[in-house]
Amino acid sequence: MAKTGLAKPKVAIACQGGGSQTAFTAGVLKGLVDQQVGRDFNVVTISGTSGGAVCAALLWFGFWKNERPLCRRLVDFWKDLTAQDWAENAFNDAIVRGLRLINSGLLPAFQLSPSSPIMQTMLGWMTAGLRKTFMDFPTVLRKHIDFDEIAAWGPRLEPPVLILGAASFPARTDPPRAHPGVRRGPEHFPGRADRRARLLGRPVLG
């Protein structure tokens, strides 16, 4: 039940990475929203790394667009990435079986970047006829997040603040650069004595 007569505790939601396994993260976020987490807590920051960063950004974008249900954009994103017909299911199953064989040592592992010309050519042959939103990550991301609209907003001065992390981030370098539509400063990077969070604002996600 919602607390009365007391200030709501401030919390930050941090979403871990993990590639397609972060669909689980999307489900957890939807559960928090469905349970109206904003009644009891003041969510001041939404952050994530890798796949978790995608989930965090989708939720944050939907919040600032006043969308209802709030998680619709997040759920639709993962639906687009889900195999939907026999061809996509066959491709998905082949990839999963191949990875299992590699992990068991029955197939050699080739260290090739997905963006390399060889991999791009191979994927082009293997995915002919499949939906672009199923196969091309930038396409599905731009379908659900309007980055030009975010840039046009300018800095957001109220919570929730969005913080996105890279897969590998040197501890002694400056914080990563933020998108023009994202407000960030040293106070949004806790972990050091001189970087305590000083975030005030209205309840969110309620």
Side-chain angles (χ1 to χ4, degrees):
M1 295 181 60
K3 299 176 178 64
T4 57
L6 297 174
K8 296 179 183 180
K10 297 176 186 176
V11 299
I13 297 176
C15 306
Q16 69 180 33
S20 61
Q21 295 181 38
T22 47
F24 173 84
T25 302
V28 172
L29 291 176
K30 185 178 184 301
L32 288 173
V33 171
D34 289 346
Q35 293 299 314
Q36 300 182 37
V37 64
R39 293 180 307 175
D40 300 305
F41 299 96
N42 185 5
V43 182
V44 294
T45 304
I46 304 172
S47 66
T49 298
S50 190
V54 175
C55 291
L58 287 161
L59 185 65
W60 179 86
F61 188 52
F63 171 82
W64 283 111
K65 287 182 69 66
N66 264 327
E67 293 180 342
R68 295 295 182 270
L70 179 55
C71 285
R72 181 186 63 193
R73 189 177 297 269
L74 179 62
V75 171
D76 288 348
F77 171 85
W78 284 104
K79 283 183 177 177
D80 268 340
L81 288 177
T82 301
Q84 297 180 5
D85 58 26
W86 70 268
E88 292 176 357
N89 275 292
F91 174 81
N92 190 70
D93 291 344
I95 294 297
V96 171
R97 284 196 296 269
L99 290 173
R100 286 174 178 169
L101 290 172
I102 290 172
N103 289 337
S104 64
L106 298 176
L107 280 180
F110 298 98
Q111 301 299 322
L112 292 174
S113 168
S115 60
S116 68
I118 294 177
M119 284 298 295
Q120 287 295 303
T121 300
M122 291 175 60
L123 285 172
W125 294 337
M126 296 167 61
T127 62
L130 302 185
R131 288 178 300 120
K132 196 167 184 182
T133 52
F134 176 64
M135 294 307 310
D136 188 67
F137 183 74
T139 296
V140 69
L141 193 61
R142 293 188 187 102
K143 175 182 175 181
H144 295 282
I145 299 179
D146 188 335
F147 294 99
D148 291 333
E149 181 179 356
I150 293 175
W153 289 348
R156 290 279 147 173
L157 302 180
E158 298 179 44
V161 173
L162 176 66
I163 300 175
L164 305 180
S168 177
F169 181 62
R172 288 187 287 181
T173 62
D174 290 332
R177 290 183 296 172
H179 191 278
V182 178
R183 171 177 174 257
R184 73 108 171 99
E187 68 271 22
H188 302 138
F189 295 85
R192 297 181 183 177
D194 60 343
R195 289 188 175 182
R196 298 294 182 186
R198 299 190 303 273
L199 303 175
L200 301 173
R202 55 189 175 83
V204 299
L205 303 182

